[in-house]
Amino acid sequence: MSDTPVIDLLRLPNFGDLPLPSYKSTGAAGMDIHAATDADVTVAAGGRATIPTGLAMAIPAGFEVQIRPRSGLAAKYGVTIANAPGTIDSDYRGEIQIILLNLGDTDFTVFRGMRVAQMVVAPVIQSEFRLSGSLNETGRGAGGFGSTGV
């Protein structure tokens, strides 16, 4: 497919022999990404921790990589991504790190090689803004936060 973006990956020293991010099924939107920790990291209940991945990447202009929670970690342990979805911009070249948030009742331990998040490649459209004296009317108007029902 000619529209498929190619993302160059750089393995950092802490990456070692971990598997590269990959799609786990033919219909998967996200690629699992692994923890490149030197030792186990405990994320306290109600706490957060930044988990290194050992990877840096060169994302093509016009794209971003979104870091999203793994549904299994969220459902089983209450572990999610603090800034979900996290955005990796096309001009960032540092190590990809995952900010895990433990919303569960017990501490959660991250071990080296654990699949801690998924990455989704998405197109980006940069917009222009202009100040206006008024906005066009809609049926919803300024109604928000549940104004359309449950």
Side-chain angles (χ1 to χ4, degrees), residues 52-101:
T53 67
L55 289 172
M57 58 182 68
I59 302 165
F63 291 90
E64 67 167 327
V65 169
Q66 297 175 358
I67 302 297
R68 298 185 182 183
R70 294 195 62 236
S71 58
L73 293 181
K76 293 176 185 173
Y77 307 103
V79 173
T80 188
I81 304 297
N83 60 327
T87 294
I88 304 169
D89 297 308
S90 63
D91 57 352
Y92 177 68
R93 294 296 182 268
E95 181 176 17
I96 306 307
Q97 298 188 55
I98 311 301
I99 307 168
L100 288 184
L101 176 62

mmCIF file of all heavy atoms in Angstrom, residues 52-101:
data_model
loop_
_atom_site.group_PDB
_atom_site.id
_atom_site.type_symbol
_atom_site.label_atom_id
_atom_site.label_comp_id
_atom_site.label_asym_id
_atom_site.label_seq_id
_atom_site.Cartn_x
_atom_site.Cartn_y
_atom_site.Cartn_z
ATOM 1 N N PRO A 52 10.139 3.322 30.496
ATOM 2 C CA PRO A 52 10.900 3.456 29.255
ATOM 3 C C PRO A 52 10.583 2.313 28.291
ATOM 4 O O PRO A 52 10.207 1.218 28.710
ATOM 5 C CB PRO A 52 12.350 3.380 29.722
ATOM 6 C CG PRO A 52 12.296 2.548 30.967
ATOM 7 C CD PRO A 52 10.979 2.870 31.616
ATOM 8 N N THR A 53 10.730 2.597 26.996
ATOM 9 C CA THR A 53 10.515 1.559 25.983
ATOM 10 C C THR A 53 11.796 1.168 25.256
ATOM 11 O O THR A 53 11.814 0.178 24.539
ATOM 12 C CB THR A 53 9.492 2.012 24.921
ATOM 13 O OG1 THR A 53 10.054 3.096 24.167
ATOM 14 C CG2 THR A 53 8.183 2.414 25.566
ATOM 15 N N GLY A 54 12.845 1.977 25.410
ATOM 16 C CA GLY A 54 14.084 1.670 24.704
ATOM 17 C C GLY A 54 14.038 1.973 23.221
ATOM 18 O O GLY A 54 14.922 1.557 22.481
ATOM 19 N N LEU A 55 13.020 2.697 22.782
ATOM 20 C CA LEU A 55 12.882 3.025 21.368
ATOM 21 C C LEU A 55 12.740 4.527 21.168
ATOM 22 O O LEU A 55 12.091 5.209 21.958
ATOM 23 C CB LEU A 55 11.643 2.351 20.764
ATOM 24 C CG LEU A 55 11.697 0.855 20.566
ATOM 25 C CD1 LEU A 55 10.318 0.340 20.139
ATOM 26 C CD2 LEU A 55 12.747 0.475 19.538
ATOM 27 N N ALA A 56 13.329 5.010 20.092
ATOM 28 C CA ALA A 56 13.076 6.350 19.575
ATOM 29 C C ALA A 56 12.622 6.149 18.137
ATOM 30 O O ALA A 56 12.896 5.097 17.535
ATOM 31 C CB ALA A 56 14.341 7.203 19.639
ATOM 32 N N MET A 57 11.919 7.122 17.587
ATOM 33 C CA MET A 57 11.405 6.933 16.234
ATOM 34 C C MET A 57 11.366 8.238 15.469
ATOM 35 O O MET A 57 11.341 9.315 16.056
ATOM 36 C CB MET A 57 10.027 6.277 16.258
ATOM 37 C CG MET A 57 8.966 7.016 17.022
ATOM 38 S SD MET A 57 7.362 6.170 17.059
ATOM 39 C CE MET A 57 7.726 4.762 18.059
ATOM 40 N N ALA A 58 11.374 8.099 14.157
ATOM 41 C CA ALA A 58 11.235 9.232 13.241
ATOM 42 C C ALA A 58 9.910 9.047 12.517
ATOM 43 O O ALA A 58 9.810 8.265 11.575
ATOM 44 C CB ALA A 58 12.403 9.283 12.261
ATOM 45 N N ILE A 59 8.907 9.764 12.974
ATOM 46 C CA ILE A 59 7.568 9.680 12.405
ATOM 47 C C ILE A 59 7.505 10.660 11.234
ATOM 48 O O ILE A 59 7.923 11.813 11.358
ATOM 49 C CB ILE A 59 6.513 10.047 13.465
ATOM 50 C CG1 ILE A 59 6.649 9.118 14.678
ATOM 51 C CG2 ILE A 59 5.109 10.003 12.884
ATOM 52 C CD1 ILE A 59 5.925 9.601 15.917
ATOM 53 N N PRO A 60 6.993 10.230 10.091
ATOM 54 C CA PRO A 60 6.918 11.141 8.943
ATOM 55 C C PRO A 60 6.015 12.341 9.225
ATOM 56 O O PRO A 60 5.032 12.234 9.973
ATOM 57 C CB PRO A 60 6.314 10.281 7.829
ATOM 58 C CG PRO A 60 6.454 8.872 8.270
ATOM 59 C CD PRO A 60 6.501 8.888 9.763
ATOM 60 N N ALA A 61 6.335 13.469 8.612
ATOM 61 C CA ALA A 61 5.476 14.655 8.711
ATOM 62 C C ALA A 61 4.076 14.283 8.246
ATOM 63 O O ALA A 61 3.898 13.488 7.329
ATOM 64 C CB ALA A 61 6.048 15.786 7.858
ATOM 65 N N GLY A 62 3.077 14.836 8.927
ATOM 66 C CA GLY A 62 1.695 14.546 8.571
ATOM 67 C C GLY A 62 1.113 13.370 9.340
ATOM 68 O O GLY A 62 -0.033 12.985 9.124
ATOM 69 N N PHE A 63 1.920 12.791 10.271
ATOM 70 C CA PHE A 63 1.461 11.667 11.083
ATOM 71 C C PHE A 63 1.834 11.899 12.542
ATOM 72 O O PHE A 63 2.701 12.713 12.853
ATOM 73 C CB PHE A 63 2.069 10.347 10.602
ATOM 74 C CG PHE A 63 1.552 9.913 9.270
ATOM 75 C CD1 PHE A 63 2.191 10.311 8.106
ATOM 76 C CD2 PHE A 63 0.415 9.122 9.160
ATOM 77 C CE1 PHE A 63 1.705 9.927 6.860
ATOM 78 C CE2 PHE A 63 -0.075 8.737 7.928
ATOM 79 C CZ PHE A 63 0.571 9.147 6.778
ATOM 80 N N GLU A 64 1.203 11.169 13.416
ATOM 81 C CA GLU A 64 1.547 11.102 14.830
ATOM 82 C C GLU A 64 1.465 9.639 15.232
ATOM 83 O O GLU A 64 0.871 8.827 14.531
ATOM 84 C CB GLU A 64 0.565 11.910 15.689
ATOM 85 C CG GLU A 64 -0.838 11.306 15.703
ATOM 86 C CD GLU A 64 -1.761 11.876 16.760
ATOM 87 O OE1 GLU A 64 -1.284 12.238 17.855
ATOM 88 O OE2 GLU A 64 -2.965 11.928 16.483
ATOM 89 N N VAL A 65 2.049 9.311 16.379
ATOM 90 C CA VAL A 65 1.831 8.013 16.999
ATOM 91 C C VAL A 65 1.113 8.284 18.309
ATOM 92 O O VAL A 65 1.565 9.088 19.118
ATOM 93 C CB VAL A 65 3.154 7.248 17.227
ATOM 94 C CG1 VAL A 65 2.932 6.032 18.110
ATOM 95 C CG2 VAL A 65 3.749 6.825 15.887
ATOM 96 N N GLN A 66 -0.033 7.640 18.490
ATOM 97 C CA GLN A 66 -0.791 7.769 19.727
ATOM 98 C C GLN A 66 -0.451 6.598 20.634
ATOM 99 O O GLN A 66 -0.376 5.453 20.184
ATOM 100 C CB GLN A 66 -2.291 7.768 19.445
ATOM 101 C CG GLN A 66 -2.732 8.932 18.603
ATOM 102 C CD GLN A 66 -4.201 8.850 18.244
ATOM 103 O OE1 GLN A 66 -4.907 7.914 18.587
ATOM 104 N NE2 GLN A 66 -4.671 9.872 17.532
ATOM 105 N N ILE A 67 -0.229 6.888 21.899
ATOM 106 C CA ILE A 67 -0.001 5.854 22.905
ATOM 107 C C ILE A 67 -1.317 5.670 23.651
ATOM 108 O O ILE A 67 -1.850 6.607 24.234
ATOM 109 C CB ILE A 67 1.126 6.251 23.880
ATOM 110 C CG1 ILE A 67 2.434 6.509 23.115
ATOM 111 C CG2 ILE A 67 1.310 5.180 24.945
ATOM 112 C CD1 ILE A 67 2.987 5.308 22.381
ATOM 113 N N ARG A 68 -1.817 4.450 23.607
ATOM 114 C CA ARG A 68 -3.121 4.148 24.199
ATOM 115 C C ARG A 68 -3.001 3.016 25.208
ATOM 116 O O ARG A 68 -2.098 2.188 25.120
ATOM 117 C CB ARG A 68 -4.107 3.742 23.110
ATOM 118 C CG ARG A 68 -4.344 4.853 22.093
ATOM 119 C CD ARG A 68 -5.404 4.446 21.132
ATOM 120 N NE ARG A 68 -5.616 5.468 20.119
ATOM 121 C CZ ARG A 68 -6.544 5.379 19.186
ATOM 122 N NH1 ARG A 68 -7.324 4.324 19.136
ATOM 123 N NH2 ARG A 68 -6.680 6.336 18.303
ATOM 124 N N PRO A 69 -3.958 2.954 26.133
ATOM 125 C CA PRO A 69 -3.939 1.867 27.126
ATOM 126 C C PRO A 69 -4.191 0.519 26.468
ATOM 127 O O PRO A 69 -4.810 0.435 25.409
ATOM 128 C CB PRO A 69 -5.096 2.209 28.066
ATOM 129 C CG PRO A 69 -5.481 3.613 27.765
ATOM 130 C CD PRO A 69 -5.054 3.894 26.368
ATOM 131 N N ARG A 70 -3.728 -0.527 27.115
ATOM 132 C CA ARG A 70 -4.101 -1.893 26.743
ATOM 133 C C ARG A 70 -5.357 -2.241 27.531
ATOM 134 O O ARG A 70 -5.385 -2.114 28.751
ATOM 135 C CB ARG A 70 -2.969 -2.869 27.052
ATOM 136 C CG ARG A 70 -1.741 -2.598 26.185
ATOM 137 C CD ARG A 70 -0.755 -3.732 26.200
ATOM 138 N NE ARG A 70 -1.379 -4.929 25.653
ATOM 139 C CZ ARG A 70 -1.455 -6.092 26.307
ATOM 140 N NH1 ARG A 70 -0.927 -6.223 27.509
ATOM 141 N NH2 ARG A 70 -2.035 -7.133 25.751
ATOM 142 N N SER A 71 -6.372 -2.673 26.850
ATOM 143 C CA SER A 71 -7.658 -2.915 27.505
ATOM 144 C C SER A 71 -7.562 -3.996 28.581
ATOM 145 O O SER A 71 -8.238 -3.912 29.607
ATOM 146 C CB SER A 71 -8.736 -3.275 26.481
ATOM 147 O OG SER A 71 -8.365 -4.424 25.741
ATOM 148 N N GLY A 72 -6.724 -5.000 28.382
ATOM 149 C CA GLY A 72 -6.573 -6.052 29.386
ATOM 150 C C GLY A 72 -6.007 -5.530 30.692
ATOM 151 O O GLY A 72 -6.471 -5.905 31.775
ATOM 152 N N LEU A 73 -5.027 -4.637 30.625
ATOM 153 C CA LEU A 73 -4.466 -4.057 31.844
ATOM 154 C C LEU A 73 -5.495 -3.173 32.545
ATOM 155 O O LEU A 73 -5.589 -3.167 33.775
ATOM 156 C CB LEU A 73 -3.204 -3.241 31.533
ATOM 157 C CG LEU A 73 -1.986 -4.021 31.044
ATOM 158 C CD1 LEU A 73 -0.812 -3.071 30.813
ATOM 159 C CD2 LEU A 73 -1.605 -5.122 32.008
ATOM 160 N N ALA A 74 -6.291 -2.456 31.766
ATOM 161 C CA ALA A 74 -7.310 -1.586 32.351
ATOM 162 C C ALA A 74 -8.409 -2.411 33.018
ATOM 163 O O ALA A 74 -8.816 -2.124 34.144
ATOM 164 C CB ALA A 74 -7.895 -0.667 31.283
ATOM 165 N N ALA A 75 -8.882 -3.446 32.325
ATOM 166 C CA ALA A 75 -9.994 -4.251 32.849
ATOM 167 C C ALA A 75 -9.581 -5.093 34.049
ATOM 168 O O ALA A 75 -10.329 -5.184 35.031
ATOM 169 C CB ALA A 75 -10.545 -5.150 31.745
ATOM 170 N N LYS A 76 -8.410 -5.695 33.995
ATOM 171 C CA LYS A 76 -7.992 -6.627 35.056
ATOM 172 C C LYS A 76 -7.367 -5.931 36.260
ATOM 173 O O LYS A 76 -7.508 -6.394 37.390
ATOM 174 C CB LYS A 76 -7.001 -7.643 34.495
ATOM 175 C CG LYS A 76 -7.608 -8.590 33.482
ATOM 176 C CD LYS A 76 -6.551 -9.510 32.896
ATOM 177 C CE LYS A 76 -7.143 -10.366 31.798
ATOM 178 N NZ LYS A 76 -6.121 -11.146 31.098
ATOM 179 N N TYR A 77 -6.634 -4.831 36.020
ATOM 180 C CA TYR A 77 -5.841 -4.222 37.093
ATOM 181 C C TYR A 77 -6.141 -2.746 37.339
ATOM 182 O O TYR A 77 -5.605 -2.165 38.282
ATOM 183 C CB TYR A 77 -4.346 -4.375 36.791
ATOM 184 C CG TYR A 77 -3.943 -5.787 36.499
ATOM 185 C CD1 TYR A 77 -3.696 -6.212 35.198
ATOM 186 C CD2 TYR A 77 -3.823 -6.725 37.527
ATOM 187 C CE1 TYR A 77 -3.327 -7.519 34.923
ATOM 188 C CE2 TYR A 77 -3.460 -8.042 37.262
ATOM 189 C CZ TYR A 77 -3.221 -8.422 35.955
ATOM 190 O OH TYR A 77 -2.862 -9.726 35.690
ATOM 191 N N GLY A 78 -6.910 -2.111 36.465
ATOM 192 C CA GLY A 78 -7.160 -0.678 36.607
ATOM 193 C C GLY A 78 -5.985 0.166 36.158
ATOM 194 O O GLY A 78 -5.871 1.329 36.544
ATOM 195 N N VAL A 79 -5.115 -0.392 35.324
ATOM 196 C CA VAL A 79 -3.917 0.324 34.861
ATOM 197 C C VAL A 79 -4.193 0.899 33.481
ATOM 198 O O VAL A 79 -4.608 0.194 32.558
ATOM 199 C CB VAL A 79 -2.695 -0.617 34.841
ATOM 200 C CG1 VAL A 79 -1.494 0.064 34.203
ATOM 201 C CG2 VAL A 79 -2.371 -1.071 36.258
ATOM 202 N N THR A 80 -3.956 2.194 33.352
ATOM 203 C CA THR A 80 -4.238 2.892 32.108
ATOM 204 C C THR A 80 -3.092 3.858 31.800
ATOM 205 O O THR A 80 -2.063 3.855 32.482
ATOM 206 C CB THR A 80 -5.606 3.623 32.214
ATOM 207 O OG1 THR A 80 -5.969 4.142 30.931
ATOM 208 C CG2 THR A 80 -5.585 4.723 33.257
ATOM 209 N N ILE A 81 -3.273 4.686 30.804
ATOM 210 C CA ILE A 81 -2.276 5.692 30.414
ATOM 211 C C ILE A 81 -2.738 7.038 30.974
ATOM 212 O O ILE A 81 -3.881 7.450 30.752
ATOM 213 C CB ILE A 81 -2.147 5.769 28.879
ATOM 214 C CG1 ILE A 81 -1.815 4.405 28.279
ATOM 215 C CG2 ILE A 81 -1.113 6.826 28.482
ATOM 216 C CD1 ILE A 81 -0.501 3.819 28.714
ATOM 217 N N ALA A 82 -1.859 7.740 31.681
ATOM 218 C CA ALA A 82 -2.231 8.980 32.363
ATOM 219 C C ALA A 82 -2.713 10.052 31.395
ATOM 220 O O ALA A 82 -3.635 10.787 31.702
ATOM 221 C CB ALA A 82 -1.069 9.496 33.199
ATOM 222 N N ASN A 83 -2.125 10.165 30.246
ATOM 223 C CA ASN A 83 -2.484 11.211 29.293
ATOM 224 C C ASN A 83 -3.108 10.621 28.035
ATOM 225 O O ASN A 83 -2.856 11.082 26.934
ATOM 226 C CB ASN A 83 -1.262 12.061 28.941
ATOM 227 C CG ASN A 83 -0.159 11.230 28.326
ATOM 228 O OD1 ASN A 83 0.018 10.059 28.656
ATOM 229 N ND2 ASN A 83 0.614 11.828 27.430
ATOM 230 N N ALA A 84 -3.927 9.601 28.218
ATOM 231 C CA ALA A 84 -4.459 8.847 27.082
ATOM 232 C C ALA A 84 -5.383 9.683 26.206
ATOM 233 O O ALA A 84 -6.259 10.353 26.726
ATOM 234 C CB ALA A 84 -5.198 7.613 27.571
ATOM 235 N N PRO A 85 -5.220 9.630 24.888
ATOM 236 C CA PRO A 85 -4.038 9.045 24.284
ATOM 237 C C PRO A 85 -2.877 10.022 24.309
ATOM 238 O O PRO A 85 -3.063 11.215 24.087
ATOM 239 C CB PRO A 85 -4.473 8.752 22.845
ATOM 240 C CG PRO A 85 -5.502 9.796 22.555
ATOM 241 C CD PRO A 85 -6.192 10.072 23.876
ATOM 242 N N GLY A 86 -1.710 9.502 24.583
ATOM 243 C CA GLY A 86 -0.501 10.313 24.493
ATOM 244 C C GLY A 86 -0.145 10.507 23.026
ATOM 245 O O GLY A 86 -0.381 9.620 22.212
ATOM 246 N N THR A 87 0.395 11.649 22.698
ATOM 247 C CA THR A 87 0.773 11.943 21.314
ATOM 248 C C THR A 87 2.277 12.051 21.189
ATOM 249 O O THR A 87 2.919 12.760 21.957
ATOM 250 C CB THR A 87 0.134 13.265 20.845
ATOM 251 O OG1 THR A 87 -1.279 13.097 20.784
ATOM 252 C CG2 THR A 87 0.654 13.688 19.478
ATOM 253 N N ILE A 88 2.819 11.345 20.211
ATOM 254 C CA ILE A 88 4.228 11.501 19.846
ATOM 255 C C ILE A 88 4.233 12.251 18.521
ATOM 256 O O ILE A 88 3.721 11.759 17.511
ATOM 257 C CB ILE A 88 4.941 10.148 19.721
ATOM 258 C CG1 ILE A 88 4.793 9.373 21.032
ATOM 259 C CG2 ILE A 88 6.406 10.356 19.356
ATOM 260 C CD1 ILE A 88 5.216 7.934 20.932
ATOM 261 N N ASP A 89 4.773 13.457 18.548
ATOM 262 C CA ASP A 89 4.797 14.308 17.369
ATOM 263 C C ASP A 89 5.875 13.866 16.391
ATOM 264 O O ASP A 89 6.865 13.238 16.770
ATOM 265 C CB ASP A 89 5.051 15.764 17.783
ATOM 266 C CG ASP A 89 3.951 16.316 18.660
ATOM 267 O OD1 ASP A 89 2.774 16.206 18.267
ATOM 268 O OD2 ASP A 89 4.267 16.849 19.744
ATOM 269 N N SER A 90 5.685 14.260 15.134
ATOM 270 C CA SER A 90 6.621 13.835 14.089
ATOM 271 C C SER A 90 8.010 14.434 14.253
ATOM 272 O O SER A 90 8.973 13.897 13.688
ATOM 273 C CB SER A 90 6.063 14.191 12.705
ATOM 274 O OG SER A 90 5.936 15.588 12.556
ATOM 275 N N ASP A 91 8.169 15.493 15.024
ATOM 276 C CA ASP A 91 9.498 16.087 15.187
ATOM 277 C C ASP A 91 10.183 15.676 16.493
ATOM 278 O O ASP A 91 11.275 16.154 16.795
ATOM 279 C CB ASP A 91 9.441 17.611 15.065
ATOM 280 C CG ASP A 91 8.493 18.282 16.043
ATOM 281 O OD1 ASP A 91 7.742 17.564 16.746
ATOM 282 O OD2 ASP A 91 8.488 19.519 16.101
ATOM 283 N N TYR A 92 9.590 14.769 17.267
ATOM 284 C CA TYR A 92 10.212 14.292 18.511
ATOM 285 C C TYR A 92 11.146 13.132 18.201
ATOM 286 O O TYR A 92 10.791 12.219 17.451
ATOM 287 C CB TYR A 92 9.128 13.843 19.499
ATOM 288 C CG TYR A 92 9.693 13.263 20.784
ATOM 289 C CD1 TYR A 92 10.379 14.067 21.686
ATOM 290 C CD2 TYR A 92 9.549 11.920 21.081
ATOM 291 C CE1 TYR A 92 10.904 13.532 22.862
ATOM 292 C CE2 TYR A 92 10.053 11.382 22.258
ATOM 293 C CZ TYR A 92 10.729 12.193 23.136
ATOM 294 O OH TYR A 92 11.239 11.672 24.299
ATOM 295 N N ARG A 93 12.345 13.161 18.775
ATOM 296 C CA ARG A 93 13.328 12.109 18.508
ATOM 297 C C ARG A 93 13.859 11.439 19.773
ATOM 298 O O ARG A 93 14.771 10.634 19.724
ATOM 299 C CB ARG A 93 14.521 12.668 17.715
ATOM 300 C CG ARG A 93 14.159 13.131 16.302
ATOM 301 C CD ARG A 93 13.688 11.961 15.448
ATOM 302 N NE ARG A 93 13.393 12.365 14.084
ATOM 303 C CZ ARG A 93 12.200 12.740 13.646
ATOM 304 N NH1 ARG A 93 11.169 12.810 14.484
ATOM 305 N NH2 ARG A 93 12.013 13.083 12.392
ATOM 306 N N GLY A 94 13.278 11.738 20.922
ATOM 307 C CA GLY A 94 13.724 11.128 22.171
ATOM 308 C C GLY A 94 13.103 9.760 22.402
ATOM 309 O O GLY A 94 12.312 9.258 21.596
ATOM 310 N N GLU A 95 13.453 9.171 23.538
ATOM 311 C CA GLU A 95 12.920 7.854 23.887
ATOM 312 C C GLU A 95 11.419 7.935 24.127
ATOM 313 O O GLU A 95 10.923 8.849 24.786
ATOM 314 C CB GLU A 95 13.602 7.306 25.145
ATOM 315 C CG GLU A 95 13.089 5.935 25.535
ATOM 316 C CD GLU A 95 13.816 5.323 26.721
ATOM 317 O OE1 GLU A 95 14.510 6.066 27.459
ATOM 318 O OE2 GLU A 95 13.700 4.102 26.918
ATOM 319 N N ILE A 96 10.702 6.963 23.613
ATOM 320 C CA ILE A 96 9.276 6.848 23.869
ATOM 321 C C ILE A 96 9.119 6.302 25.290
ATOM 322 O O ILE A 96 9.704 5.271 25.637
ATOM 323 C CB ILE A 96 8.597 5.902 22.858
ATOM 324 C CG1 ILE A 96 8.897 6.337 21.422
ATOM 325 C CG2 ILE A 96 7.105 5.793 23.135
ATOM 326 C CD1 ILE A 96 8.595 7.769 21.100
ATOM 327 N N GLN A 97 8.368 7.009 26.100
ATOM 328 C CA GLN A 97 8.113 6.581 27.472
ATOM 329 C C GLN A 97 6.609 6.559 27.704
ATOM 330 O O GLN A 97 5.877 7.359 27.144
ATOM 331 C CB GLN A 97 8.810 7.507 28.457
ATOM 332 C CG GLN A 97 10.329 7.479 28.263
ATOM 333 C CD GLN A 97 11.039 8.232 29.336
ATOM 334 O OE1 GLN A 97 10.856 7.952 30.513
ATOM 335 N NE2 GLN A 97 11.853 9.201 28.945
ATOM 336 N N ILE A 98 6.170 5.634 28.524
ATOM 337 C CA ILE A 98 4.757 5.411 28.773
ATOM 338 C C ILE A 98 4.446 5.843 30.203
ATOM 339 O O ILE A 98 5.076 5.360 31.149
ATOM 340 C CB ILE A 98 4.402 3.916 28.607
ATOM 341 C CG1 ILE A 98 4.949 3.350 27.286
ATOM 342 C CG2 ILE A 98 2.904 3.697 28.765
ATOM 343 C CD1 ILE A 98 4.455 4.024 26.040
ATOM 344 N N ILE A 99 3.472 6.735 30.379
ATOM 345 C CA ILE A 99 3.074 7.171 31.717
ATOM 346 C C ILE A 99 1.904 6.301 32.165
ATOM 347 O O ILE A 99 0.762 6.512 31.760
ATOM 348 C CB ILE A 99 2.671 8.658 31.736
ATOM 349 C CG1 ILE A 99 3.763 9.525 31.120
ATOM 350 C CG2 ILE A 99 2.376 9.101 33.169
ATOM 351 C CD1 ILE A 99 3.322 10.952 30.844
ATOM 352 N N LEU A 100 2.216 5.285 32.971
ATOM 353 C CA LEU A 100 1.178 4.396 33.478
ATOM 354 C C LEU A 100 0.534 4.999 34.717
ATOM 355 O O LEU A 100 1.221 5.566 35.572
ATOM 356 C CB LEU A 100 1.752 3.029 33.832
ATOM 357 C CG LEU A 100 2.151 2.127 32.670
ATOM 358 C CD1 LEU A 100 2.610 0.770 33.193
ATOM 359 C CD2 LEU A 100 1.008 1.949 31.679
ATOM 360 N N LEU A 101 -0.774 4.846 34.824
ATOM 361 C CA LEU A 101 -1.559 5.318 35.956
ATOM 362 C C LEU A 101 -2.307 4.119 36.518
ATOM 363 O O LEU A 101 -3.006 3.420 35.784
ATOM 364 C CB LEU A 101 -2.540 6.392 35.494
ATOM 365 C CG LEU A 101 -3.522 6.956 36.505
ATOM 366 C CD1 LEU A 101 -2.788 7.652 37.647
ATOM 367 C CD2 LEU A 101 -4.474 7.921 35.811
#
